[in-house]
Every structure is written in C-alpha cells, then in structure tokens.
C-alpha cells in the first residue's frame, strides 16, 4: 500500500508538474499579448502626437546672393532685401506684400520700365538702388474714380447752363490773339493716338506758349513753358474739360483740373481736335488708345 500510495503520490505530483507548464504557457501567452497590445498602443500614441511636415510653398532665400534696394511708392519708402537672381515678377510680389498694391496695377521703374521676365542681375540692379513704383490700390481707385465721375457729370450739367466757354471774357482775351503759327496741324472728325513727340505751339491762360508731354512710364503729365516744366501725377488730375473753339472747330480749348474746384483749372488753347479723346482717356485712366 505504501508503495502504491507512494506511486499514486508520485503520479499525482507528476500530473501536477505536467499541468504547470500548460498554465505557465497560457500566462506567458497572455503576457505576450498584453505586451504586444501595449506596444501597439504606445506606437499609435507616439505616431498621433507627431505633426506631419507641411510646406508653406515659399522658396527659402538662404544661401542666395541678395541685394538691398529701396522701394519708393506714394511718397513712402521701403527697404527690401531680395535675391539678385529673382525676376521682375518676383519683385512685384514682394512689393505687393509691402504696399498692398496688386502686381497687375504696378508700374515698376528702374532705368525705364522694369521687365517681369528678366532677373535683377540682368538689369544690373545694385545695392542701394532706388526703384520707383507707380499705381493705386483697388480701394484708392474706387475712392478716386467715383468723385471724378461725379465731377464730370456736374461739369456737363453746368456747361449746358452757361454760355460757350470760348465766349467768356477770360478766354476771349487769349483766343483773340488768333491761332498760333507753330501750332500742330489738326484733323477734324478723327481720333488719333497721342503722338510720340510733345504737343506744342499752344497757348496757356496768360497767352504764353505751352507744350504737353505725356510720360506714360512715369504716369505723369509734363506742362512746359518757357520758364519751367511742371510734372503733374495723372492720378491727381480730377477732371478734363474741353470745348471746340468757335470758328475753328478743328481745335479745342482744354482745362486740366488739378484740385477740388474750378479755380485749380489749368487752361490750354488750340489743342488739335484729333488728340482730344486720347488726352482725356489717358489722363482719366481709361487707356483706350494704348
């Protein structure tokens, strides 16, 4: 019995010993599964907390040869550093960010009108160069153009009530001098582009000789007399008034309104009729003839 009991005990111990690994393996499997799930969870958390790399689309200027220039626009000056191998189009974008002036509305001048497709190196821009910018923001255009239209309507209404300008005493004293001998030839009933040379041989309000030069690249009207030349920004001209001269309808008298009232009008007499519409459209910003 003792032997048998011993055998039975030994057998039971063996059975217990044999079952122990099974429990251990199952526990190990559960432990391994838990570790795997924890590792996956940890990896997932790590991945989700790392922000993806995002490019803002801007090209870095690091390592490029730069040039310092001064941008002058609307009486304001801006210091700008830009890659020397950047194009005129790139410069316009930089000017837009500085001034709010859209590239399409910019005239950029450096030794003439700046080409968009050439680099600053090609057009020989150097450190300290002054670059002129002409143009108005959309808000400025809306603010300026609306009063001009209103002024034109008011002027036309007043003209209908008044006697012809050429009969008024202040103009009669100039017109009575007669047509200047050296005035440019006129062609009645036609419309032509502005000539490439100044319009000359005309009179101003004092009876002195005057010439008009349209500097489109600078957006200026130059009014020249024997004494001096006035350089007028076209954007500052509020209105243009014209009227054919009686008895000489192939010529016009013309006034440029330089301020808010008629007192600021600068009168020019004997303007060839074929250029009248081109002058008005150019000065008032319509640009139909160019």
């Amino acid at each position: 019995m003792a032997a048998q009991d011993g055998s039975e005990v030994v057998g039971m111990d063996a059975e217990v010993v044999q079952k122990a690994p099974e429990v251990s393996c199952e526990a190990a499997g559960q432990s391994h599964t838990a570790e795997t799930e924890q590792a996956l969870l940890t990896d997932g958390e790590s991945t989700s907390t790392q922000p993806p790399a995002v490019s803002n689309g801007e090209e870095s200027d690091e390592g490029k040869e730069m040039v310092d220039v001064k941008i002058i626009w609307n009486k304001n000056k801006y210091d700008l550093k830009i890659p020397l191998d950047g194009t005129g189009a790139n410069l316009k974008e930089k000017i837009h960010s500085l001034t709010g002036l859209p590239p399409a509305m910019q005239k950029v001048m450096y030794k003439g009108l700046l080409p968009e497709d050439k680099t600053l190196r090609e057009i020989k821009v150097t450190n300290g160069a002054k670059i002129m910018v002409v143009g108005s923001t959309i808000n400025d255009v809306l603010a300026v153009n609306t009063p001009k239209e209103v002024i034109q309507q008011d002027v036309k209404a007043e003209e209908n009530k008044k006697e012809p300008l050429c009969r008024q005493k202040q103009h009669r004293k100039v017109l009575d001098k007669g047509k200047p001998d050296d005035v440019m030839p006129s062609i009645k009933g036609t419309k032509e582009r502005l000539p490439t040379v100044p319009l000359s041989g005309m009179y101003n309000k004092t009876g002195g000789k005057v010439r008009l030069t349209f500097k489109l690249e600078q957006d200026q009207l130059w009014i020249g007399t024997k004494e001096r030349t006035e350089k007028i920004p076209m954007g500052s001209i509020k209105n243009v008034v014209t009227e054919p001269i009686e008895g000489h309808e192939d010529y016009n008298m013309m006034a440029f309104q330089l301020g808010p009232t008629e007192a600021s009008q600068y009168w020019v007499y004997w303007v060839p009729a074929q250029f009248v519409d081109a002058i008005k459209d150019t000065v008032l910003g319509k640009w139909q003839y160019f």
Side-chain angles (χ1 to χ4, degrees):
M1 291 292 295
Q4 290 178 356
D5 290 342
S7 298
E8 288 179 1
V9 171
V10 172
M12 290 174 62
D13 291 342
E15 185 177 353
V16 171
V17 173
Q18 289 173 358
K19 288 182 179 181
E22 293 179 6
V23 174
S24 177
C25 289
E26 183 178 353
Q30 291 176 351
S31 175
H32 177 72
T33 302
E35 291 176 358
T36 302
E37 290 176 353
Q38 182 63 32
L40 291 174
L41 180 60
T42 303
D43 291 343
E45 290 176 352
S46 176
T47 302
S48 63
T49 57
Q50 293 180 355
V54 178
S55 173
N56 59 11
E58 295 182 358
E59 186 178 352
S60 173
D61 293 334
E62 185 177 353
K64 295 182 180 179
E65 185 177 356
M66 309 294 285
V67 61
D68 292 305
V69 299
K70 189 174 293 293
I71 305 298
I72 303 175
W73 171 70
N74 200 22
K75 297 182 180 179
N76 295 316
K77 296 180 180 180
Y78 305 87
D79 292 322
L80 176 64
K81 184 186 288 286
I82 189 170
L84 193 57
D85 290 314
T87 63
N90 298 143
L91 177 59
K92 282 190 171 186
E93 290 294 340
K94 295 287 188 181
I95 293 172
H96 182 201
S97 65
L98 285 174
T99 65
L101 184 62
M105 301 182 73
Q106 297 177 21
K107 287 184 183 178
V108 183
M109 266 80 67
Y110 178 75
K111 299 179 180 179
L113 196 62
L114 189 97
E116 291 190 0
D117 57 342
K118 291 187 179 296
T119 66
L120 303 188
R121 187 188 300 276
E122 289 174 323
I123 58 178
K124 303 187 186 309
V125 174
T126 56
N127 278 317
K130 294 181 179 180
I131 297 179
M132 306 293 296
V133 180
V134 176
S136 301
T137 64
I138 294 175
N139 290 337
D140 289 339
V141 171
L142 293 176
V144 172
N145 283 351
T146 301
K148 282 186 179 181
E149 293 172 0
V150 173
I151 290 172
Q152 285 180 286
Q153 292 172 0
D154 292 343
V155 168
K156 287 181 179 179
E158 288 298 320
E159 286 176 350
N160 292 333
K161 299 177 184 178
K162 296 178 181 178
E163 64 178 337
L165 293 171
C166 59
R167 295 182 189 175
Q168 295 176 15
K169 183 178 179 180
Q170 59 175 324
H171 303 302
R172 199 66 262 166
K173 64 181 182 181
V174 179
L175 295 174
D176 284 346
K177 295 180 65 173
K179 184 173 70 174
D181 294 333
D182 57 344
V183 72
M184 297 182 70
S186 66
I187 306 174
K188 184 181 178 181
T190 63
K191 297 180 180 180
E192 293 187 5
R193 297 182 179 183
L194 292 177
T196 55
V197 297
L199 290 173
S200 60
M202 300 168 292
Y203 289 141
N204 60 16
K205 193 172 183 178
T206 63
K209 287 295 182 69
V210 64
R211 65 185 177 276
L212 302 178
T213 306
F214 297 88
K215 293 288 187 178
L216 303 184
E217 70 279 3
Q218 299 176 26
D219 205 31
Q220 292 179 344
L221 168 62
W222 290 11
I223 302 176
T225 63
K226 184 178 180 180
E227 293 78 20
R228 64 182 179 274
T229 297
E230 298 286 347
K231 300 179 180 181
I232 314 294
M234 291 190 191
S236 69
I237 300 174
K238 305 302 181 184
N239 193 33
V240 179
V241 178
T242 64
E243 182 182 286
I245 299 173
E246 281 188 340
H248 301 274
E249 282 74 13
D250 49 344
Y251 287 94
N252 278 47
M253 49 191 295
M254 176 177 289
F256 299 99
Q257 187 170 323
L258 307 180
T261 67
E262 291 184 2
S264 65
Q265 290 176 335
Y266 187 98
W267 283 95
V268 179
Y269 304 86
W270 303 100
V271 179
Q274 68 269 26
F275 300 128
V276 169
D277 285 338
I279 292 173
K280 293 177 70 173
D281 289 342
T282 300
V283 172
L284 297 178
K286 296 180 182 178
W287 302 94
Q288 292 178 350
Y289 292 86
F290 301 92

